């Protein structure tokens, strides 16, 4: 199956509004997961970069909870429109899954009055990023008339609540458990678990049919520890930070990829090859259809670090 079509294969169920209101058109990106739980599934990006970020829309008796707010202000406006069609109640909370701007592009549309919640360190990371790129919003405005219109009323939002390891948030009849993910993707990552509904928003610790971005502080052992923790919750539905919602198979597929990657790198190290040689020679034909191939070198480096650590341990 061609990878750029994968994002469109979200769960195909009828899109119903809450209560007895008739079904409405929420747009092609919005999919119903369970009663009152919807996902805006990000569309494809150019240059084989994988799909845009996902956003959870959860309705409660006390208002709406959003999990992230979209890749771009245009996507965020579509999310805002979907919320207005679903309910007249306000957005009470926005929960960040990570610190990167492709997940909080639309915070300004909802906060205030919505309270933004994130993991400890998110505010500091956002301040560093915003200060380091003060022209980002102006570049967005200049990129297209649609983007300029979508940015109307823009203001920068910093999370009002930050948690350390785990946080439970009760909103109406629903419970949201925020779980810290160590060295998963950004400077501060959170998975959001709805235990009653068995729905898990797994952030970007894994992605679907694409190579993930492994920054210097991200390690494969930490990723595998995070996925093990999330799999143990036994979710019925898994909504990744990017890509088509699915089941725990999302975790299993990524675990198999990392196991194979580390195994092949380990064999090449055993054969006496350097990291530079491995970067040039390693092939993973099983994943030729995956997106984000520019991320492969960082993945190989992370696998090489795993192998080197094992050899060091054996030497001790």
């Amino acid at each position: 199956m061609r990878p750029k079509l994968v994002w469109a294969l979200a769960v195909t169920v009828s899109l119903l509004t809450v209560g007895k209101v008739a079904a409405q058109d929420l747009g092609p990106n919005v999919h119903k997961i369970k009663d009152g739980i919807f996902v805006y599934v990000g569309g494809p990006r150019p240059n084989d970069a994988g799909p845009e970020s996902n956003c959870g829309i959860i309705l409660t008796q006390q208002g709406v909870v959003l999990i992230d707010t979209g890749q771009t202000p245009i996507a965020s406006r579509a999310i805002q429109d979907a919320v207005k069609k679903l309910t007249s109640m306000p957005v009470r909370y926005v929960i960040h899954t990570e610190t990167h701007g492709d997940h909080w592009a639309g915070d300004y549309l909802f906060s205030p009055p919505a309270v933004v919640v994130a993991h400890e360190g998110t505010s500091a990371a956002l301040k560093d990023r915003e200060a380091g790129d003060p022209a980002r919003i102006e570049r967005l405005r200049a990129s297209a008339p649609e983007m300029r219109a979508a940015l109307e009323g823009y203001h920068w939002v910093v999370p009002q609540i930050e948690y350390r390891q785990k946080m439970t948030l009760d909103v109406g009849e629903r419970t949201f458990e925020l779980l810290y993910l160590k060295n998963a993707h950004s400077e501060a990552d959170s998975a959001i678990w709805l235990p009653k509904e068995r729905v898990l928003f797994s952030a970007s610790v894994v992605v679907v049919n694409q190579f993930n971005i492994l920054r210097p502080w991200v390690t494969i052992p930490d990723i595998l520890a995070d996925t093990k923790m999330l799999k143990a919750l036994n979710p019925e539905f898994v909504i990744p930070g990017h890509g088509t919602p699915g089941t725990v198979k999302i975790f299993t597929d990524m675990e198999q990829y990392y196991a194979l990657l580390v195994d092949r790198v380990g064999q090449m190290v055993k054969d006496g090859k350097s990291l530079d040689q491995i970067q040039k020679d390693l092939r993973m034909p099983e994943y030729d259809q995956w997106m984000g191939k520019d991320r492969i070198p960082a993945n190989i480096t992370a696998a090489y670090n795993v192998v080197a650590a094992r050899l060091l341990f054996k030497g001790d």
Side-chain angles (χ1 to χ4, degrees):
M1 182 176 294
R2 297 180 64 183
K4 292 187 179 180
L5 298 180
V6 173
W7 71 272
L9 300 180
V11 182
T12 53
V13 293
S14 59
L15 302 176
L16 303 178
T17 57
V18 289
K20 297 182 179 179
V21 182
Q24 301 181 59
D25 178 15
L26 301 175
N29 295 78
V30 181
H31 300 266
K32 181 179 177 181
I33 301 298
K34 281 193 168 184
D35 286 344
I37 300 178
F38 299 81
V39 177
Y40 178 94
V41 180
R45 288 181 289 178
N47 303 320
D48 194 43
E52 293 187 348
S53 65
N54 298 329
C55 168
I57 304 171
I58 298 96
L59 311 182
T60 82
Q61 294 170 353
Q62 293 183 355
V64 181
V65 176
L66 295 181
I67 313 297
D68 291 335
T69 56
Q71 175 93 21
T72 69
I74 292 175
S76 302
R77 291 287 182 180
I79 293 163
Q80 183 184 47
D81 290 343
V83 170
K84 289 178 178 179
K85 290 178 180 178
L86 285 166
T87 178
S88 60
M89 299 190 75
V91 175
R92 292 283 309 281
Y93 293 95
V94 169
I95 304 176
H96 282 180
T97 64
E98 62 170 85
T99 66
H100 298 144
D102 59 330
H103 290 258
W104 50 266
D107 282 12
Y108 67 97
L109 297 176
F110 306 102
S111 179
V115 174
V116 178
V117 184
H119 182 261
E120 183 180 53
T122 297
S123 294
L126 295 184
K127 288 176 182 177
D128 287 345
R129 188 166 290 114
E130 192 80 1
D133 191 5
R136 180 178 66 88
I137 296 301
E138 293 310 314
R139 288 199 302 271
L140 280 174
R141 282 199 177 99
S143 65
E146 297 83 0
M147 191 69 75
R148 184 166 58 251
L151 278 164
E152 183 179 354
Y154 172 81
H155 57 273
W156 187 38
V157 179
V158 175
Q160 292 91 11
I161 297 175
E162 294 190 353
Y163 76 99
R164 179 163 294 179
Q165 194 68 29
K166 181 177 180 179
M167 175 180 174
T168 299
L169 182 67
D170 292 312
V171 187
E173 73 282 21
R174 300 194 193 272
T175 296
F176 300 81
E177 294 182 2
L178 283 63
L179 307 170
Y180 169 54
L181 302 175
K182 180 183 177 182
N183 297 337
H185 180 70
S186 76
E187 300 91 339
D189 298 283
S190 298
I192 295 88
W193 170 233
L194 281 70
K196 299 174 187 175
E197 299 82 359
R198 311 209 67 77
V199 173
L200 174 66
F201 291 84
S202 61
S204 295
V205 64
V206 295
V207 288
V208 180
N209 293 311
Q210 58 180 304
F211 299 97
N212 211 342
I213 300 173
L214 301 188
R215 294 172 175 83
W217 63 84
V218 176
T219 74
I220 291 175
D222 282 327
I223 290 173
L224 296 178
D226 289 333
T227 58
K228 181 179 180 181
M229 174 187 70
L230 297 179
K231 284 177 70 175
L233 298 171
N234 191 29
E236 181 181 355
F237 293 101
V238 176
I239 295 90
H242 296 262
T244 307
T247 67
V248 291
K249 186 178 183 298
I250 291 173
F251 299 133
T252 302
D253 289 346
M254 194 60 68
E255 288 168 345
Q256 291 174 347
Y257 158 71
Y258 285 126
L260 184 59
L261 176 65
V262 171
D263 181 68
R264 288 192 179 157
V265 169
Q267 185 58 54
M268 296 175 82
V269 169
K270 186 177 179 181
D271 293 341
K273 292 193 174 185
S274 67
L275 176 57
D276 286 343
Q277 290 173 313
I278 296 171
Q279 295 277 16
K280 294 177 182 176
D281 298 340
L282 180 64
R283 297 292 180 268
M284 299 286 283
E286 300 88 347
Y287 301 96
D288 282 347
Q289 297 303 309
W290 277 21
M291 293 171 279
K293 290 182 175 58
D294 59 314
R295 303 164 183 172
I296 293 176
N299 279 234
I300 292 174
T301 299
Y304 183 86
N305 291 339
V306 172
V307 173
R310 288 176 180 174
L311 292 174
L312 180 62
F313 180 77
K314 286 181 180 180
D316 292 341

